[in-house]
Amino acid sequence: MKEPNDIILHAVIKVAVVIILTFSINLFFSGHHNPGGGFIGGLGFSAALTLLLLAFDIETVRQNIPVDFKVLTAIGVLIAVFTGVGGIVFGAPFLTQAFDYFDIPVFGKTELATAVLFDVGVALAVIGTSMSIILSIGDDH
Amino acid sequence: MSWLHIMVLIPFLFAIIVPLIYRVFTPRIHTGWFVLSVPSVIFLYLLRYIPVISKGETIFISVPWIPSYGINYTTYIDGLSLVFGLVITGIGSLVVLYSIYYMSKLKESLHNFYVYLLLFMGAMLGLVFSDNILVLYVYWELTSISSFLLIAYWYQREKSRYGAQKSMNITIFGGLAMLAGFIMLSMMTETYSIREIIHQTDSIYDHSLFLPAMILLLLGAFTKSAQFPFSIWLPDAMEAPTPISAYLHSATMVKAGIYLVARMTPIFGGSAEWFWLVTSAGLVTLLYGSLNAVKQTDLKALLAYSTISQLGLIMSLLGMGSASLYYGTGDEASMYAVAVLAAIFHLINHSTFKGSLFMVVGIIDHETGTRDIRRLGGLMHLMPISFTLAIIGGFSMAGLPPFNGFLSKEMFFTAVLNASDMSIFSMESLGVIFPVIAWAASVFTFIYCMILIFKTFTGKYKPKKLEKAAHEAPVGMLVPPVILSSLVIIIFFFPNVLSKYILKPAMGAVLPAYSQPGEIEIKISAWHGWNTELFMTMGVVAAGALLYLYLKKWIGIYSTYPYSMTFNNFYNQGLGKMEDMSLSLTKSYMTGFIRDYFVYIFTFLIIIVGGCILFLDGAAFDASNNGPVSIYEGVLIISMLTAALTVLFSKSRLTAIVAVGALGYLVSLFFVIFRAPDLALTQLVVETVTTALFLLCFYHLPELRREAVRVKFRMTNLVISLGVGAIVAILALSANGTRLFEPIAYYYENSYELAGARNIVNAILVDFRGIDTMLEIFVLGIASLGVYTLVKLRISGRDRSERTK
């Protein structure tokens, strides 16, 4: 992207991106009980990255976040499939999810659900997809 | 999940780590040594089941997969699947061992090779051990795909790609037909389990779908097993490396169709249609294959046609044996039941002698650099062991003693003679054809076996025509064919051990009346008196020897047959025509204007959705459950309308984008009012990202300009847009007024107990309807790859054109 070297934009976005990323991670984890989840968390994450793309040019972002988003998509899809296969290993149907409560230091009594793992897959796939589409189109000039 | 399931999945799991092994150990250790452990371990594991199965028991272990649709991953072992399992893993081990010496560890990309091979092996195991027809179908298509990869292993060669594509086109066509047949079967019986379908056989006999389901299933089986006229793919599939040809086309993949016919015999067998379709397809294929094998000059092509012919033999035996089900039990039934036993016997025999012959041909190819019969000759002194192996395999295939092919060939003659005496299925008048075809085909089988052995190994040695100086193969390469050849002889001398422990249980699986041991007495013996069968064999040898000696006099007959009349030509022509047609069709509607595409999409939407609503009486308006419209909603609707109209009439693109964005945000406000914060959030973020995308593209878009378009065109647009609006409105209102299914409120009430989630949307997405979400992210991934490819390909294409300027 050809952008004027806008210092105010850069400064604002550097701060904003951190906030948005934190928020999207929070969104992701709150998904089980409150609004949020893998899809929306992932979208929020890629929104933050898109902001970075708008403020800086693609090359800079690529150098600082050296992630191949196509691979990220594949990893996400694989995670989702494997959590589904996990059910089969324990003799339950494909994609059965389980949850239980554990006492973990610092966090106290926490609910851990395999659904979150599945959601990680969803989030990664969403981030990978949206970013690789945006990057491919952004590259095309 | 039991050991049995894990056993079927081992090849797939191992396929994942093969590339890692390859990377670490190449070039020190050949990857094949690691892969060898997979089939051999499974083979040994399966051996344990022989005593159990031979007692007439079956093993049945089920794991729920999609229990709500009755789809379970059921592993089922009976005599039939055990035979196939042993053949797949037994021959598989030998093939892997052979490939270690055949495939150079320095020159070949072995990781690809073994990944495909393991995929294929796993697919075959899953195919024969699954009781659920849908699971069977999945594995069936997986064998087509993995064999496609294997055949095209040397993908740089055009012929390999052509052969791979041909085999995939034909087998996948058959597979889809088979799927339709399976669905019909499950419609008739309301179950997906083969065992349960067999229990309901009596009730489906008069069903109107009985015959269509049978024909569709047989299409699948015939294409896979290369029956006439679908056999054309098999010779082209010989472009694969020889270990693969030995495996795919002698032992496993082509036998999947045989397996299917055998498996389905208890369901369809006993009807005249099944008897005639299976038997006649088998006999025609037998004759066609043997006639064509004689004229081949490439050793592997000769073997390919001989495989086609032998598969026809097995198929016709299964067809003749199915008559036994017509009688149920009794003397007449057991007379035909022997044909099924002979089919399985010949299947095993064929795997041994054909596997060894393929390996011998591979050795010849490897050590001399050619497979052309015209260039070979006189190899007997240079390759004595290979010569011996070729004699054992070739004589066995020709049906001569003391090799196992003789036994099953005699049983085949018995079966045809029995069938010609049959008094059902209008065999009284047509029965006499059977022995004639069988005898003629056997004569030609004898001739091509002799060509294979003597044209290659005797005569004059022509070193100038060979690429390498011929010499005997390394020991490792000889071990697998030696093992197979010794089996050929061992089986000849001890056929009844095999019969008792393996063949009879397998026959019991095909003919349930004989599923308990001891219900039928069958003794296979090499000497069975001076009977018609023996005289037929003697006639075959005499006529075959005579014709072989005067081969040069009559081989010219083949060249009079025009190429334009062959099925290969029909296939090539048809494929070309289809490509042309689809190209011109595509050109006629792919205009490059997105508005044209919208016209197609929306017209179809109106016709199909509108038609459904009209004909199925779908329009239902039920206002009784509607809530009151609040002032906020009214305001929102008016604002949305304004935004939408702004898009329509805006003169600059920026305004349009802003208005679209506003529309999206207003929708999310709607979600807020309806207390669906999840949806609102998603909508907000999606809208933001979309707008950002728009902005990214913004620079590159041309100025928006009024286009001069004919009035008529606009009228169509108007009609279509009004139609779409009306349909969507009717659909939305009717969807609210119609309650066909259980409301999902059930999930809402129990989401915490069932999934530990207080957020119902998330619980639905992840826990209750996880497969939807999973497939959705599949789609996302594929879409992103699609966009990436489209954009990148365009860029590289443009680069290329710039460079050429």
Side-chain angles (χ1 to χ4, degrees):
Chain A
M1 289 292 299
K2 273 185 216 137
E3 285 284 333
N5 195 6
D6 192 332
I7 292 175
I8 298 174
L9 189 68
H10 285 183
V12 170
I13 279 182
K14 271 179 194 162
V15 179
V17 162
V18 175
I19 297 171
I20 297 174
L21 286 183
T22 321
F23 177 62
S24 69
I25 292 169
N26 175 45
L27 259 185
F28 171 78
F29 278 110
S30 63
H32 215 49
H33 295 296
N34 296 307
F39 206 88
I40 180 72
L43 270 180
F45 205 95
S46 37
L49 295 181
T50 313
L51 260 185
L52 277 181
L53 284 177
L54 282 175
F56 305 89
D57 65 312
I58 285 185
E59 276 315 307
T60 323
V61 177
R62 268 230 178 106
Q63 275 165 17
N64 288 294
I65 312 173
V67 177
D68 187 344
F69 287 101
K70 295 188 294 301
V71 176
L72 197 70
T73 317
I75 293 173
V77 172
L78 278 181
I79 290 178
V81 174
F82 277 118
T83 56
V85 175
I88 295 184
V89 175
F90 292 104
F94 184 57
L95 274 175
T96 306
Q97 309 288 0
F99 67 96
D100 209 342
Y101 297 89
F102 298 94
D103 270 317
I104 295 176
V106 185
F107 291 101
K109 190 184 171 202
T110 315
E111 183 195 5
L112 292 182
T114 57
V116 174
L117 287 176
F118 181 81
D119 238 11
V120 169
V122 174
L124 290 183
V126 168
I127 297 172
T129 305
S130 48
M131 287 317 289
S132 56
I133 291 179
I134 289 174
L135 281 176
S136 324
I137 295 177
D139 248 4
D140 179 34
H141 52 73
Chain B
M1 208 73 186
S2 67
W3 281 109
L4 208 55
H5 286 96
I6 293 170
M7 176 201 81
V8 174
L9 294 175
I10 280 178
F12 297 112
L13 298 176
F14 209 82
I16 299 172
I17 56 170
V18 160
L20 296 175
I21 293 176
Y22 176 75
R23 196 166 289 177
V24 176
F25 290 103
T26 306
R28 278 175 294 151
I29 306 173
H30 198 286
T31 318
W33 290 114
F34 298 95
V35 179
L36 183 61
S37 62
V38 177
S40 43
V41 164
I42 302 175
F43 181 76
L44 293 176
Y45 179 78
L46 284 176
L47 284 180
R48 289 184 357 164
Y49 285 101
I50 292 180
V52 187
I53 299 294
S54 66
K55 279 185 208 131
E57 290 170 33
T58 54
I59 289 149
F60 183 84
I61 301 167
S62 188
V63 169
W65 183 21
I66 314 177
S68 43
Y69 286 102
I71 297 174
N72 298 315
Y73 194 106
T74 307
T75 303
Y76 178 58
I77 301 191
D78 62 0
L80 186 66
S81 45
L82 189 63
V83 166
F84 277 86
L86 287 171
V87 168
I88 292 161
T89 51
I91 306 271
S93 313
L94 296 176
V95 162
V96 172
L97 181 62
Y98 180 77
S99 72
I100 294 173
Y101 294 92
Y102 191 87
M103 309 294 285
S104 157
K105 66 182 167 189
L106 298 173
K107 289 182 206 148
E108 307 279 1
S109 38
L110 288 174
H111 50 318
N112 291 348
F113 180 78
Y114 285 113
V115 166
Y116 302 157
L117 190 70
L118 285 168
L119 274 184
F120 178 76
M121 193 181 290
M124 280 306 297
L125 283 176
L127 171 70
V128 297
F129 285 123
S130 69
D131 177 60
N132 191 290
I133 47 179
L134 289 180
V135 177
L136 192 151
Y137 171 74
V138 171
Y139 279 123
W140 182 276
E141 294 296 39
L142 194 57
T143 63
S144 297
I145 293 165
S146 51
S147 68
F148 168 81
L149 292 168
L150 281 169
I151 296 167
Y153 171 69
W154 284 316
Y155 59 87
Q156 303 87 342
R157 304 182 183 171
E158 202 202 330
K159 271 185 142 183
S160 294
R161 296 198 301 268
Y162 172 76
Q165 191 203 24
K166 196 176 190 180
S167 80
M168 183 144 107
N169 276 346
I170 293 176
T171 52
I172 294 244
F173 154 76
L176 287 173
M178 187 183 84
L179 177 64
F182 278 161
I183 291 170
M184 285 181 186
L185 257 188
S186 66
M187 277 163 68
M188 286 188 273
T189 56
E190 288 176 354
T191 173
Y192 290 111
S193 159
I194 296 175
R195 275 158 40 103
E196 283 170 34
I197 295 173
I198 292 175
H199 285 308
Q200 299 184 31
T201 311
D202 298 336
S203 61
I204 63 169
Y205 225 72
D206 299 319
H207 202 283
S208 58
L209 288 177
F210 182 73
L211 193 59
M214 179 199 292
I215 291 169
L216 288 169
L217 277 177
L218 284 179
L219 266 180
F222 288 170
T223 49
K224 200 74 160 186
S225 275
Q227 297 295 296
F228 182 84
F230 306 111
S231 51
I232 50 168
W233 67 264
L234 198 88
D236 287 294
M238 289 297 145
E239 292 301 325
T242 302
I244 297 308
S245 309
Y247 193 41
L248 259 67
H249 309 127
S250 79
T252 50
M253 171 160 155
V254 288
K255 298 217 166 114
I258 306 273
Y259 170 79
L260 186 76
V261 170
R263 188 47 96 207
M264 293 291 146
T265 298
I267 302 170
F268 296 104
S271 65
E273 294 90 348
W274 180 266
F275 174 83
W276 273 108
L277 282 172
V278 177
T279 315
S280 54
L283 284 174
V284 170
T285 312
L286 169 66
L287 190 61
Y288 163 85
S290 62
L291 283 176
N292 272 292
V294 172
K295 71 168 179 183
Q296 301 304 321
T297 51
D298 179 3
L299 282 176
K300 262 173 107 180
L302 189 150
L303 285 182
Y305 278 103
S306 91
T307 301
I308 293 172
S309 153
Q310 302 281 318
L311 287 170
L313 192 156
I314 301 174
M315 193 65 93
S316 68
L317 276 172
L318 281 176
M320 288 184 270
S322 75
S324 168
L325 284 161
Y326 179 83
Y327 294 106
T329 48
D331 278 351
E332 277 189 304
S334 61
M335 192 163 89
Y336 302 120
V338 181
V340 172
L341 188 95
I344 297 155
F345 188 33
H346 194 70
L347 182 132
I348 296 175
N349 294 345
H350 178 247
S351 300
T352 54
F353 64 67
K354 188 57 69 62
S356 118
L357 281 175
F358 263 115
M359 289 176 186
V360 169
V361 167
I363 289 173
I364 296 171
D365 190 12
H366 207 261
E367 306 304 335
T368 66
T370 183
R371 299 193 304 254
D372 196 327
I373 296 174
R374 289 164 299 188
R375 292 160 68 187
L376 290 166
L379 295 177
M380 186 163 64
H381 305 293
L382 296 159
M383 308 168 83
I385 305 178
S386 307
F387 176 58
T388 319
L389 294 172
I391 290 223
I392 296 174
F395 279 13
S396 180
M397 182 153 74
L400 300 176
F403 307 110
N404 59 5
F406 173 73
L407 301 174
S408 42
K409 179 82 111 199
E410 296 296 286
M411 291 172 83
F412 171 61
F413 283 154
T414 314
V416 240
L417 290 171
N418 281 341
S420 63
D421 291 339
M422 218 183 264
S423 57
I424 47 165
F425 306 152
S426 47
M427 280 292 284
E428 301 90 340
S429 47
L430 296 164
V432 83
I433 307 170
F434 283 28
V436 173
I437 295 181
W439 189 80
S442 298
V443 171
F444 282 94
T445 307
F446 184 86
I447 298 171
Y448 70 69
C449 290
M450 295 307 118
I451 292 178
L452 175 71
I453 302 167
F454 294 110
K455 294 261 170 195
T456 324
F457 287 100
T458 61
K460 241 175 146 180
Y461 177 50
K462 300 164 243 181
K464 276 180 197 155
K465 289 190 179 173
L466 304 179
E467 287 170 22
K468 303 176 198 169
H471 54 83
E472 189 57 272
V475 178
M477 221 161 166
L478 287 168
V479 168
V482 164
I483 295 175
L484 287 172
S485 303
S486 9
L487 274 175
V488 166
I489 299 171
I490 293 171
I491 291 176
F492 176 80
F493 287 107
F494 306 101
N496 289 309
V497 180
L498 189 75
S499 162
K500 183 181 172 200
Y501 287 103
I502 293 183
L503 299 182
K504 274 190 197 159
M507 186 184 77
V510 182
L511 306 170
Y514 302 105
S515 57
Q516 289 310 313
E519 288 194 15
I520 185 167
E521 193 56 48
I522 296 174
K523 202 158 166 16
I524 308 172
S525 57
W527 175 254
H528 39 71
W530 295 99
N531 52 10
T532 326
E533 289 90 322
L534 197 65
F535 289 123
M536 279 172 84
T537 307
M538 285 155 78
V540 165
V541 175
L546 208 65
L547 282 170
Y548 173 71
L549 288 176
Y550 295 102
L551 193 63
K552 279 194 186 127
K553 296 249 162 76
W554 57 272
I555 196 90
I557 297 172
Y558 281 111
S559 53
T560 57
Y561 190 76
Y563 173 76
S564 59
M565 288 299 289
T566 58
F567 283 98
N568 252 326
N569 184 45
F570 291 148
Y571 171 83
N572 290 336
Q573 295 282 325
L575 203 66
K577 289 255 163 58
M578 242 152 62
E579 267 172 22
D580 292 347
M581 254 173 61
S582 61
L583 195 68
S584 60
L585 194 73
T586 314
K587 268 189 187 152
S588 69
Y589 70 84
M590 296 298 278
T591 53
F593 292 107
I594 198 163
R595 23 158 226 261
D596 288 345
Y597 304 152
F598 278 139
V599 168
Y600 307 141
I601 295 170
F602 287 137
T603 316
F604 273 96
L605 181 90
I606 293 170
I607 293 171
I608 290 169
V609 180
C612 283
I613 292 176
L614 198 67
F615 286 109
L616 302 176
D617 252 346
F621 303 111
D622 181 11
S624 58
N625 286 332
N626 289 1
V629 179
S630 72
I631 183 92
Y632 302 111
E633 289 150 23
V635 172
L636 270 178
I637 289 170
I638 293 168
S639 328
M640 281 169 71
L641 274 177
T642 323
L645 288 173
T646 317
V647 179
L648 218 52
F649 294 108
S650 64
K651 288 218 163 46
S652 88
R653 195 164 302 233
L654 194 61
T655 327
I657 293 174
V658 170
V660 168
L663 196 59
Y665 287 122
L666 286 168
V667 171
S668 69
L669 267 182
F670 245 120
F671 290 139
V672 172
I673 290 177
F674 290 142
R675 290 191 216 120
D678 266 284
L679 294 178
L681 263 174
T682 314
Q683 174 74 19
L684 269 176
V685 180
V686 166
E687 209 51 57
T688 313
V689 174
T690 326
T691 315
L693 265 178
F694 259 130
L695 290 172
L696 273 169
C697 305
F698 195 70
Y699 280 109
H700 313 296
L701 293 174
E703 279 289 301
L704 201 62
R705 56 176 194 278
R706 292 270 133 211
E707 287 177 37
V709 195
R710 280 173 296 138
V711 178
K712 194 182 158 209
F713 187 61
R714 289 192 174 178
M715 275 307 290
T716 347
N717 282 358
L718 183 70
V719 170
I720 287 174
S721 48
L722 284 180
V724 171
I727 295 284
V728 171
I730 292 172
L731 197 66
L733 290 172
S734 308
N736 194 31
T738 319
R739 290 258 180 269
L740 288 178
F741 303 101
E742 221 180 302
I744 55 166
Y746 159 75
Y747 291 125
Y748 175 64
E749 287 157 9
N750 297 302
S751 75
Y752 191 68
E753 288 79 40
L754 291 174
R758 273 185 286 269
N759 177 3
I760 177 212
V761 176
N762 197 280
I764 289 176
L765 282 178
V766 176
D767 289 277
F768 301 133
R769 310 221 40 105
I771 197 150
D772 291 358
T773 315
M774 198 183 83
L775 295 179
E776 240 164 59
I777 60 175
F778 275 21
V779 173
L780 274 183
I782 293 165
S784 79
L785 280 182
V787 171
Y788 177 81
T789 331
L790 281 175
V791 172
K792 291 290 162 188
L793 279 183
R794 200 161 68 84
I795 291 175
S796 63
R798 201 165 50 198
D799 284 350
R800 216 176 297 135
S801 63
E802 270 165 15
R803 236 177 281 140
T804 48
K805 266 179 216 165

